[in-house]
Amino acid sequence: MVRLALALALAGSVAGCVSDVDGDSDEPVSISPDSVRSTVQSITTISYAPNSYVIGNAYPGWTDIVQGPGQVSSGPGNPNGADYRWGYLFGENFDRCAWINNNSVAADTSKHANNDCGDPREIDTPFFMATFTDGIHNDLAGDGSVTHMKYDGAGCSDTNGYGNVEPWRVPATPANKVGQVPDGTELRWRYVSKDGDWVLVRDPSPPANEPNWYFVHRGCVSVANTD
């Protein structure tokens, strides 16, 4: 999938197609020849909608086929707002239309790709829960519930954190290793992936040069709904 998308990015003015561009269909989707292909400049979280649940992380060198201008959104956990950018994003273990921080891409805001991703996805909680989770999530607005990394947890078979797992896939596949998360580390869990094997967490003290939101193995954390 990524090789195909990369080939299209290098093709310049030649129109092409890529399958599963929004993660919801295997039908080919046209990528317009005037697409603006922007390179991600720094690690940034990926959201399914502006100011919403994180679904992964984008890394320097990834490509974003920009679909429109930036959109400033704010809400719980982000009262001052942030500038988001909608586009088709691809990199290691990520190949989907999504939102990232506009400050993390170098985009020409005067020209955008044809809207091959469809209308920009806005917050739709039922859609999110059905698409990206197995139904288990906490109810806090903007952050996760307190939990801890426990190596002796039932079924804890992988003690690493991962920047991406493609939470909508069954099975999910971990990538972009953050490194081993020390036993007892306080984390804040958000939701369980569609396949039930991974939990999105926020690390209040993430390793240097790593994202603060990442995925850990389901067996290594409790997902009780606590404040």
Side-chain angles (χ1 to χ4, degrees), residues 24-223:
D24 301 322
S25 171
D26 289 328
E27 293 299 318
V29 177
S30 172
I31 297 298
S32 58
D34 65 340
S35 293
V36 174
R37 291 171 171 83
S38 180
T39 301
V40 176
Q41 306 294 307
S42 59
I43 295 176
T44 184
T45 53
I46 307 168
S47 302
Y48 88 99
N51 198 59
S52 63
Y53 289 95
V54 171
I55 59 173
N57 293 279
Y59 289 79
W62 283 26
T63 297
D64 192 20
I65 302 178
V66 177
Q67 301 285 299
Q71 176 177 320
V72 177
S73 298
S74 62
N78 186 22
N80 297 321
D83 193 6
Y84 296 88
R85 175 74 61 157
W86 171 247
Y88 167 47
L89 183 69
F90 60 88
E92 299 88 356
N93 273 52
F94 198 93
D95 194 356
R96 190 182 181 91
C97 295
W99 295 84
I100 61 175
N101 193 303
N102 197 22
N103 295 326
S104 298
V105 292
D108 178 357
T109 57
S110 67
K111 181 180 179 183
H112 309 109
N114 291 344
N115 195 14
D116 299 309
C117 282
D119 292 339
R121 172 72 64 185
E122 301 296 335
I123 291 177
D124 181 341
T125 301
F127 165 82
F128 172 79
M129 295 300 171
T131 303
F132 296 92
T133 84
D134 69 347
I136 300 175
H137 62 94
N138 71 59
D139 295 320
L140 300 182
D143 200 2
S145 295
V146 173
T147 190
H148 293 84
M149 192 73 174
K150 294 293 185 183
Y151 288 1
D152 60 357
C156 182
S157 59
D158 189 336
T159 57
N160 291 295
Y162 295 91
N164 288 293
V165 301
E166 293 185 306
W168 63 92
R169 304 276 189 202
V170 179
T173 305
N176 307 112
K177 185 183 291 186
V178 172
Q180 189 174 60
V181 182
D183 190 25
T185 297
E186 180 179 302
L187 303 168
R188 301 186 70 89
W189 78 276
R190 201 74 169 99
Y191 64 85
V192 180
S193 61
K194 185 76 170 178
D195 67 354
D197 288 340
W198 300 94
V199 181
L200 179 74
V201 298
R202 182 176 69 82
D203 188 338
S205 301
N209 302 314
E210 295 293 349
N212 64 333
W213 287 98
Y214 54 80
F215 294 88
V216 295
H217 193 259
R218 170 69 178 83
C220 303
V221 292
S222 167
V223 292

